[in-house]
Amino acid sequence: MRSKIILTFLTLLFGTMVMAQTGTMRGSVRDVKGEAIAYATVSIPKLKLGTSADSTGKYELADIPLGTWQVQVSYMGYDSYFTAIAVSNALPIERDFTLNIGDASLGEVVITGTMKDVSRLASPIPVEVYTPSYFRKNPTPSLFDAVGMINGVQPQLNCNVCNTGDIHINGMEGPYTMILIDGMPIVSALSSVYGLSGIPNSMVERIEVVKGPASSLYGSEAMGGIINVITKNPLSAPMLSADVFGTSWGEINADVGTKFNIGNATGLLGVNYFNYKNKVDNNDDNFTDMTLQDRISVFNKWNFRRKENRVASIAARYVYEDRWGGEMNWNKSFRGSDEVYGESIYTKRAELIGLYQLPVKERIFTQFSYNWHDQNSYYGDVPYMATQRVAFAQAYWDKQIGANHDFLLGVAMRYTTYDDNTPATASADGSKNEVAKTPLPGIFVQDEWTLNDKNTVLLGYRYDHDKNHGNVHSPRFAYKFSPNNNNTLRASFGTGFRVVNLFTEDHAALTGSREVVIAEELNPERSYNGNLNYVLKIPTESFFLGFDITGFYSYFTNKIIGDYDVDPNQIVYDNLSGHAVSRGVSLNTDLTFTFPLKVLAGISYMNVYQMREDDLGVKEKVVQWHAPKWSGTFVASYAFPKGFSADFTGQWNGPMRLPIQPNDYRPEYSPWFCVANVQVTKKFDKGIEIYGGVKNLFNFIPKYPLMRPFDPFDRTVDDPVNNPYGWTFDTEYNYASLQGIRGFLGIRYNLF
């Protein structure tokens, strides 16, 4: 009896000791380069147990009960890492973690702000970086749609019929945004309207965004900001990737990429195909709510292995697109006629990009790009036929002088030819056609001076010579102060310039829906710009909070803006008698918890206007079209066990001023609205993902998209009884897509 009691006691005591026994896990958290990630969070969400790494990336998580638990490792700017650990005794578990640069990271290494590879933290120019995984939280068929997830970047549809558009940064129109591919100015002018679609997602490594002036490095058109599409290095790309999805509206998008080796070269081939052939007219105006499209884009890039790791690459892309929108009974037999209204656009585009580092001791790089754009289009019975060729080449010397000076010296040449069937290329007397030829040579210099480990100064200057407008000077100054890793202050100032060609960049000027009146010879636009940026990181044991706030101000001494108010049938362009201002504040926040929830949110306030002088010399304030004072974006992501995740994304806009006609029944300002989306993703083994969800969850659709859709050729405009105000057919009243709520389903596959 006594032995049974002793045995029972020992059993209970041993069980209590086992239950009370806990384990410890310790190690380090580093990035893919092996550098420590200070203050990273290591946690077991189910147990509400967590800790933070120290300044050297080392951590220790104690008091872990025996069992198998899911561990989460996270830090701002990196993908969260999840793994299972088994705690079976009190012996410490040694476990190191490596985090990959993630969605909100505004990337570790950037090139756009200074034209050289630098740490984003060390760059004196604020650069935002977004990877494809960020845009996959709301899958879209084109870059044009995807960048709407970036705070302060607004994809603006310019036509309710053909659905063409451009990208606004900080409220400034599309022509002020320069689109680069691998640092080369590949999308601009004519293609700013039609060339933003069809860039295969399989080729994109990341997208870098610089908001504000960059003319000192990139020249004309870089007045509002830069979107630089960095393509993948074929050496590190997957062997095979595929992403295919469709929507309940009948849209099909397929993106496929593969790589292969030939000798000392590695090639990357990407193909994007988008098709939409479903006529939808939910608002019953007898016009298609969304343009029908058939587009294919083929991209091929080669990287070459050279001695001493010198770089060499060449890439080419070809895009063909057939799009049309119009009356529901339109077909191609009516193209260019005045029987049934339709807007039909055939676009062919070819691009070539190259980079070569010279085989010399100094770091000297040469770059070139060439793009050819051919457009065959009809807007009703008004033809617009245009061909544009842009050749660009530059060479620059990247030199480290001493320990504190990072010097850059370069020369550049851009040569543009443009031909169309409008007055833009007619001779002075209008008797013949003359191809516009515009050479633009330039030279630029930049010095990044590291005063000490907390202070950096950047000085830049660019000189360009335009054959029509003479010498153009573009200086730039930037300053960065970082007292520690959690606080960074940046200030920058620069000037910008742009030579305007209405018929290559302003959709309203070429559609024929209004007569274009050029009141005088148009001078170059010039601006003075300033930015102030502050980044704050707040790491804690239970969450990480980051703030990125920027104030911006641009002052234009001349700005070319279409005046829609003079006559409902005209757009009048002339030099600005007065000045224009674009100013505001943009705030981005990043909140990462120890449990698998991450929230990104941004809000922008903009005040964009012109001060014009009337005929009596009195200045009046005119608010710019399509520039909402308030706008924002949000992304909330949660990772569930067993490979499931959910994303809730959206963009919202406050009221924006719209072009209206005299005595118009449509309001001059759009309403507040939000376009939200939800997605669920399941990850399987061997690189397979299935995803699906709902777009435009709240089913927001603009009212009054078209004026007088029953008379698109204005045959009965002069009817004082039925049309007393003289309203005319107009497609420019636009502030959001006419696509309502729709479901989507897709599959991804990656083989490394």
Side-chain angles (χ1 to χ4, degrees):
M1 182 68 178
R2 180 181 298 178
S3 62
K4 290 183 178 179
I5 293 174
I6 294 173
L7 180 62
T8 301
F9 175 77
L10 291 174
T11 301
L12 292 172
L13 178 62
F14 178 76
T16 302
M17 291 174 64
V18 170
M19 291 183 65
Q21 193 172 13
T22 60
T24 299
M25 183 175 66
R26 63 193 181 194
S28 63
V29 182
R30 299 184 178 278
D31 61 19
V32 292
K33 293 185 177 181
E35 297 179 358
I37 301 179
Y39 310 114
T41 300
V42 181
S43 64
I44 301 177
K46 189 172 182 178
L47 300 176
K48 297 183 179 180
L49 186 66
T51 187
S52 294
D54 61 18
S55 59
T56 65
K58 294 182 179 180
Y59 75 93
E60 181 171 321
L61 184 60
D63 301 325
I64 307 174
L66 301 186
T68 300
W69 311 104
Q70 186 182 56
V71 176
Q72 177 185 359
V73 186
S74 59
Y75 187 70
M76 177 190 178
Y78 295 85
D79 283 331
S80 294
Y81 182 88
F82 296 89
T83 189
I85 62 165
V87 181
S88 57
N89 53 55
L91 294 177
I93 300 173
E94 301 288 341
R95 189 67 181 269
D96 297 332
F97 297 100
T98 300
L99 298 186
N100 295 317
I101 293 175
D103 308 333
S105 156
L106 297 179
E108 180 164 355
V109 176
V110 296
I111 65 172
T112 307
T114 60
M115 206 180 283
K116 55 179 64 186
D117 295 340
V118 296
S119 162
R120 182 206 181 271
L121 181 64
S123 173
I125 305 297
V127 182
E128 299 179 17
V129 179
Y130 299 88
T131 65
S133 59
Y134 177 75
F135 298 114
R136 284 198 290 265
K137 296 179 183 298
N138 177 33
T140 60
S142 71
L143 171 64
F144 176 83
D145 298 307
V147 296
M149 295 180 64
I150 302 175
N151 181 34
V153 179
Q154 177 188 350
Q156 175 58 47
L157 290 176
N158 295 324
C159 175
N160 282 314
V161 176
C162 64
N163 289 165
T164 56
D166 51 24
I167 295 178
H168 297 195
I169 295 181
N170 288 342
M172 299 181 67
E173 301 96 319
Y176 299 94
T177 300
M178 176 172 279
I179 309 293
L180 309 173
I181 296 182
D182 289 337
M184 291 287 93
I186 206 70
V187 179
S188 59
L190 179 63
S191 52
S192 71
V193 178
Y194 298 100
L196 296 174
S197 300
I199 297 179
N201 292 329
S202 58
M203 84 175 201
V204 179
E205 177 73 24
R206 66 186 187 273
I207 293 177
E208 299 183 359
V209 180
V210 174
K211 299 172 183 175
S215 291
S216 66
L217 273 186
Y218 295 98
S220 177
E221 298 166 9
M223 295 175 72
I226 290 174
I227 297 177
N228 192 3
V229 181
I230 308 297
T231 61
K232 290 180 179 177
N233 185 333
L235 299 174
S236 58
M239 290 296 298
L240 178 66
S241 65
D243 189 345
V244 181
F245 75 88
T247 73
S248 58
W249 272 50
E251 301 164 274
I252 299 294
N253 186 77
D255 197 276
V256 179
T258 185
K259 76 172 182 179
F260 39 86
N261 296 296
I262 299 178
N264 67 340
T266 301
L268 175 64
L269 177 66
V271 179
N272 173 260
Y273 179 69
F274 177 76
N275 183 277
Y276 174 71
K277 293 295 184 183
N278 186 28
K279 296 180 183 179
V280 176
D281 180 23
N282 288 333
N283 60 4
D284 297 323
D285 62 359
N286 195 40
F287 271 74
T288 54
D289 291 347
M290 179 182 173
T291 301
L292 281 70
Q293 301 176 52
D294 190 10
R295 179 180 68 243
I296 186 167
S297 175
V298 180
F299 172 82
N300 188 209
K301 180 179 181 178
W302 291 88
N303 274 46
F304 301 90
R305 289 177 288 275
R306 301 176 60 205
K307 295 180 179 179
E308 300 181 7
N309 292 320
R310 293 189 178 97
V311 297
S313 66
I314 189 168
R317 184 170 78 111
Y318 178 78
V319 182
Y320 175 79
E321 181 181 75
D322 176 1
R323 69 162 61 201
W324 76 267
E327 294 186 84
M328 293 291 287
N329 59 331
W330 188 92
N331 59 57
K332 290 188 178 181
S333 67
F334 296 109
R335 192 172 194 263
S337 74
D338 62 356
E339 298 177 54
V340 180
Y341 188 89
E343 297 188 358
S344 172
I345 302 167
Y346 300 154
T347 299
K348 292 184 289 185
R349 180 173 176 82
E351 303 165 351
L352 185 65
I353 309 168
L355 168 65
Y356 183 77
Q357 182 179 357
L358 297 184
V360 295
K361 182 178 179 181
E362 297 292 337
R363 288 173 52 83
I364 301 177
F365 300 85
T366 59
Q367 293 177 293
F368 70 89
S369 68
Y370 175 81
N371 66 77
W372 167 80
H373 186 109
D374 181 80
Q375 183 173 324
N376 179 320
S377 53
Y378 278 92
Y379 302 89
D381 58 349
V382 178
Y384 175 68
M385 310 294 171
T387 301
Q388 176 179 275
R389 296 178 177 87
V390 182
F392 180 86
Q394 72 178 13
Y396 61 91
W397 176 36
D398 183 357
K399 177 68 174 178
Q400 183 73 35
I401 302 177
N404 299 328
H405 291 273
D406 200 346
F407 184 74
L408 191 74
L409 175 65
V411 294
M413 177 67 182
R414 185 192 304 185
Y415 189 83
T416 304
T417 65
Y418 173 75
D419 190 17
D420 68 15
N421 63 324
T422 74
T425 55
S427 60
D429 59 4
S431 61
K432 61 179 180 179
N433 184 69
E434 292 183 348
V435 178
K437 300 178 181 179
T438 309
L440 189 64
I443 184 171
F444 54 91
V445 61
Q446 176 181 278
D447 181 29
E448 185 175 331
W449 181 13
T450 303
L451 302 178
N452 50 48
D453 58 353
K454 297 180 180 179
N455 296 273
T456 303
V457 171
L458 182 142
L459 300 173
Y461 170 78
R462 184 183 182 100
Y463 166 79
D464 292 277
H465 180 77
D466 183 271
K467 68 175 185 177
N468 297 316
H469 303 289
N471 302 326
V472 181
H473 306 275
S474 302
R476 177 167 70 161
F477 168 82
Y479 169 72
K480 181 182 73 73
F481 173 64
S482 294
N484 51 57
N485 288 336
N486 293 332
N487 292 270
T488 303
L489 178 68
R490 296 178 175 92
S492 62
F493 171 82
T495 65
F497 78 98
R498 189 175 73 92
V499 178
V500 179
N501 187 338
L502 301 176
F503 292 92
T504 66
E505 61 199 30
D506 192 336
H507 173 268
L510 55 86
T511 61
S513 60
R514 295 189 182 215
E515 179 189 0
V516 175
V517 177
I518 302 177
E520 58 183 331
E521 182 179 353
L522 301 179
N523 296 323
E525 296 183 330
R526 298 181 184 271
S527 68
Y528 300 90
N529 314 270
N531 287 302
L532 186 63
N533 170 257
Y534 176 59
V535 177
L536 172 64
K537 303 175 185 178
I538 306 175
T540 71
E541 292 186 358
S542 56
F543 65 86
F544 180 95
L545 180 61
F547 291 96
D548 189 329
I549 184 170
T550 301
F552 56 90
Y553 184 91
S554 296
Y555 181 94
F556 291 82
T557 58
N558 185 42
K559 193 175 184 182
I560 310 301
I561 303 167
D563 189 343
Y564 292 70
D565 300 324
V566 174
D567 189 310
N569 294 311
Q570 294 182 341
I571 311 174
V572 179
Y573 296 93
D574 61 0
N575 296 302
L576 180 63
S577 298
H579 66 272
V581 171
S582 173
R583 62 186 181 185
V585 178
S586 178
L587 171 66
N588 290 318
T589 60
D590 184 339
L591 179 60
T592 303
F593 295 92
T594 53
F595 56 94
L597 174 65
K598 190 169 191 176
V599 179
L600 307 172
I603 183 172
S604 292
Y605 169 79
M606 300 178 297
N607 188 8
V608 187
Y609 61 90
Q610 302 89 44
M611 296 299 298
R612 293 179 175 174
E613 293 183 0
D614 59 20
D615 295 337
L616 300 177
V618 178
K619 290 185 178 180
E620 59 177 349
K621 182 178 179 180
V622 180
V623 177
Q624 182 174 295
W625 313 111
H626 302 122
K629 281 194 173 183
W630 294 97
S631 63
T633 60
F634 56 86
V635 176
S637 300
Y638 191 89
F640 296 93
K642 299 182 179 181
F644 283 95
S645 63
D647 302 294
F648 182 56
T649 63
Q651 306 89 42
W652 57 270
N653 282 292
M656 65 180 78
R657 185 169 177 250
L658 303 169
I660 59 174
Q661 300 184 25
N663 300 303
D664 204 322
Y665 60 88
R666 302 171 298 181
E668 186 176 7
Y669 284 83
S670 64
W672 290 82
F673 69 92
C674 175
V675 177
N677 320 281
V678 64
Q679 174 183 251
V680 176
T681 303
K682 166 62 176 173
K683 293 185 178 180
F684 297 89
D685 294 334
K686 299 181 180 180
I688 299 176
E689 294 182 18
I690 295 178
Y691 59 93
V694 179
K695 289 180 177 289
N696 198 354
L697 189 62
F698 304 136
N699 197 29
F700 175 78
I701 301 173
K703 294 182 179 179
Y704 319 115
L706 294 175
M707 171 69 80
R708 291 175 58 83
F710 54 85
D711 186 23
F713 294 101
D714 288 338
R715 290 192 176 96
T716 61
V717 167
D718 299 324
D719 184 346
V721 176
N722 297 313
N723 190 26
Y725 298 114
W727 293 332
T728 63
F729 177 69
D730 194 2
T731 67
E732 309 300 327
Y733 188 91
N734 184 289
Y735 54 92
S737 171
L738 293 175
Q739 273 193 296
I741 187 172
R742 59 203 182 277
F744 66 93
L745 182 66
I747 183 170
R748 298 188 186 98
Y749 175 69
N750 285 284
L751 174 65
F752 286 89

